[in-house]
């Protein structure tokens, strides 16, 4: 069974840039995987940041951007802020009506 | 303004059943697919089920196939998740979300399902 991989944790300094990635245990991520990214703080529902690889959801600051980097999907935060300290999940469409979430990345801003 | 509100969670015994509701407003479930996603306490997100905007296709994760059933009532603009044969592994927050380009775009606040004797 294909696993969606994410870095378990990442750290960035305030004002810095960080790129989180989302890959497959077997194969490459492409736009046909329709990668999306979701932010979640403890005790809250997820919030969609990016869908369809690079489309920002309504109200999402432009410091968040999505892309394909090599064989992975990527979420880049440019000018990280303390409020960005959260868990970040990617999800990929596998085809055949199946979606799989990655295990999430815990981002620390310090 | 897009809004989704889940309801129907609660405490159920192992082997029991629950029906969750996802009431949508600000858009029509006849025009957009709906996902169900769950999150066990302290764990990550897990995709559960999806119903196409026209109701023509319904999909399930292997972990719930044969036990969970997704359906909708377009007159109420509501999507349901019937959950049968519940086990401790099904204990989680359950979220519904509006689909956009094969992804969740808007989420509800979630409803908690507790499986306990």
């Amino acid at each position: 069974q294909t696993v969606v991989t994410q870095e378990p944790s990442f750290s960035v300094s305030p004002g810095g840039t960080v790129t989180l990635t989302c890959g497959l245990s077997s194969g490459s991520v492409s736009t046909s995987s329709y990668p999306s990214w979701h932010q979640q703080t403890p005790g809250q529902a997820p919030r969609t940041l990016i869908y369809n690889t690079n489309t920002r959801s309504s109200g999402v600051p432009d410091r968040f951007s999505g892309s394909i980097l090599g064989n992975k999907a990527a979420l880049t935060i440019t000018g990280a802020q303390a409020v960005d300290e959260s868990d970040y999940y990617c999800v990929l469409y596998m085809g055949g009506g199946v979606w799989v979430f990655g295990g999430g990345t815990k981002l620390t801003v310090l | 303004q897009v809004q989704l509100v889940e309801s129907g969670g609660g405490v159920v015994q192992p082997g029991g059943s629950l029906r969750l509701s996802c009431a949508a407003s600000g858009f029509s479930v006849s025009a957009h697919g709906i996902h169900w996603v769950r999150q066990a306490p302290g764990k990550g997100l897990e995709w559960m089920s999806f119903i196409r905007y026209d109701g023509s296709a319904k999909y399930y994760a292997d972990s719930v196939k044969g036990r969970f059933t997704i359906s909708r009532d377009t007159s109420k603009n509501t999507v349901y998740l019937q959950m049968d044969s519940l086990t401790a592994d099904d204990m989680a927050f359950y979220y519904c979300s509006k689909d956009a380009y094969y992804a969740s775009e808007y989420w509800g606040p979630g409803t908690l399902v507790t499986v306990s004797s």
Side-chain angles (χ1 to χ4, degrees):
Chain A
Q1 186 174 356
T2 301
V3 174
V4 176
T5 61
Q6 293 186 248
E7 298 87 359
S9 62
F10 229 117
S11 183
V12 63
S13 299
T17 296
V18 62
T19 297
L20 311 182
T21 68
C22 175
L24 288 169
S25 58
S26 175
S28 298
V29 177
S30 70
T31 55
S32 299
S33 304
Y34 298 94
S36 60
W37 293 89
H38 309 274
Q39 179 191 51
Q40 189 181 36
T41 53
Q44 299 294 316
R47 169 200 181 197
T48 298
L49 299 174
I50 301 287
Y51 61 93
N52 196 24
T53 304
N54 54 18
T55 302
R56 264 189 301 276
S57 192
S58 177
V60 173
D62 60 7
R63 65 178 182 275
F64 293 94
S65 62
S67 63
I68 299 290
L69 286 181
N71 62 352
K72 295 182 178 182
L75 173 71
T76 299
I77 308 173
T78 304
Q81 301 181 5
V83 69
D84 298 332
E85 186 161 294
S86 295
D87 295 326
Y88 291 84
Y89 293 92
C90 72
V91 57
L92 303 176
Y93 179 59
M94 300 300 185
V98 175
W99 285 261
V100 179
F101 278 89
T105 297
K106 186 176 185 65
L107 180 67
T108 301
V109 181
L110 52 74
Chain B
Q1 176 185 354
V2 172
Q3 194 170 8
L4 301 107
V5 179
E6 304 90 343
S7 62
V11 180
V12 61
Q13 291 186 341
S17 298
L18 272 180
R19 188 179 81 156
L20 306 183
S21 299
C22 171
S25 58
F27 72 100
S28 172
V29 300
S30 298
H32 296 273
I34 297 292
H35 297 268
W36 283 97
V37 174
R38 71 183 180 185
Q39 186 172 37
K43 302 295 185 183
L45 299 171
E46 180 185 13
W47 175 80
M48 288 288 95
S49 183
F50 174 74
I51 184 167
R52 250 176 71 103
Y53 71 96
D54 58 1
S56 65
K58 302 172 183 179
Y59 302 107
Y60 303 92
D62 286 344
S63 58
V64 303
K65 203 172 292 183
R67 298 189 300 122
F68 288 13
T69 304
I70 193 169
S71 64
R72 65 181 191 166
D73 184 337
T74 55
S75 68
K76 295 181 179 179
N77 212 32
T78 297
V79 173
Y80 304 98
L81 187 68
Q82 176 67 39
M83 306 187 298
D84 299 321
S85 303
L86 288 164
T87 72
D89 288 342
D90 298 313
M91 190 159 62
F93 276 95
Y94 284 74
Y95 301 99
C96 65
S97 63
K98 169 184 171 286
D99 180 79
Y101 290 94
Y102 296 86
S104 295
E105 184 189 12
Y106 291 96
W107 299 72
T111 188
L112 178 61
V113 172
T114 301
V115 182
S116 175
S117 55

